[in-house]
Amino acid sequence: MKAIIVAGGDADITQLKDDLSTGSHDLLIAADSGADHILSAGFEPDVIVGDFDSISADRSALTSEIITYPPEKDFTDAEAAFDHAIKSGSDEIVIYGATGRRLDHFLGNLSLLIKADGLGVKCCIKDEHNVIRLVSSDTTINKSDSFGDYISIIPIDDDVRISLEGFKYPLDNYPLTRDNALGVSNEISDDVAYIKLMSGRVLLIESK
């Protein structure tokens, strides 16, 4: 079951409209003002969750299920939307509106990728320029399927050892550490690129 979550950060409405129009999702969830993005794209969310401190739309005019939380809570609206997707049986989640001017919210949203990995759920954050996902096991990327020309690999653990094959800048059982930017802005050189993780987890960012 695939869920799409739209949070209240920056969202490219054209991209969102195009992706929603494919009908590949089973559940469409808005986190607070993410509902405004969905409505602007010409769709209506199945569920809207949040404390509703930023939404502009008139909720009473919608047929969406509404789940309200108090403003003083120990989780963000995006996390509430994520948890609802999990409770609904989703095993694949795509999150839009998770990037933008609020870097604190963006970093908090990255933690949802870690949470998803721990649950065995496929998850990514997507915006106009990037697709971000967490990789904790060997991964293959077909060049023809890559979202953009640039691939960045950012370690999130202290013990990352990684090999890269089919990249412009390969690595062989390399100890990738968090105190340098070595993994930023690589490129796929072959038809297929391989990421082999001996230990640790990394963020994989495909960028245009």
Side-chain angles (χ1 to χ4, degrees), residues 82-152:
F82 177 91
D83 289 344
H84 184 81
I86 295 298
K87 291 176 183 177
S88 299
S90 301
D91 55 12
E92 180 178 358
I93 300 173
V94 180
I95 308 174
Y96 297 83
T99 61
R101 292 170 292 177
R102 287 290 302 270
L103 292 179
D104 53 345
H105 279 282
F106 170 59
L107 292 173
N109 290 332
L110 288 178
S111 69
L112 298 179
L113 299 179
I114 300 174
K115 189 172 185 177
D117 183 67
L119 295 169
V121 172
K122 183 179 179 181
C123 186
C124 72
I125 291 172
K126 189 173 183 179
D127 67 16
E128 183 181 4
H129 302 289
N130 308 279
V131 173
I132 309 169
R133 52 195 169 114
L134 187 144
V135 173
S136 58
S137 59
D138 293 353
T139 299
T140 301
I141 307 174
N142 293 316
K143 188 173 183 178
S144 59
D145 296 332
S146 181
F147 181 75
D149 294 330
Y150 302 103
I151 306 291
S152 293

Side-chain angles (χ1 to χ4, degrees), residues 117 134-138 153-163 173-180 196-203:
D117 183 67
L134 187 144
V135 173
S136 58
S137 59
D138 293 353
I153 297 173
I154 311 297
I156 64 170
D157 292 325
D158 292 323
D159 60 343
V160 170
R161 296 195 73 91
I162 190 169
S163 291
N173 196 19
Y174 188 86
L176 193 62
T177 58
R178 294 190 292 178
D179 59 357
N180 66 69
K196 299 182 179 180
L197 277 172
M198 293 74 184
S199 61
R201 300 168 298 171
V202 298
L203 289 177

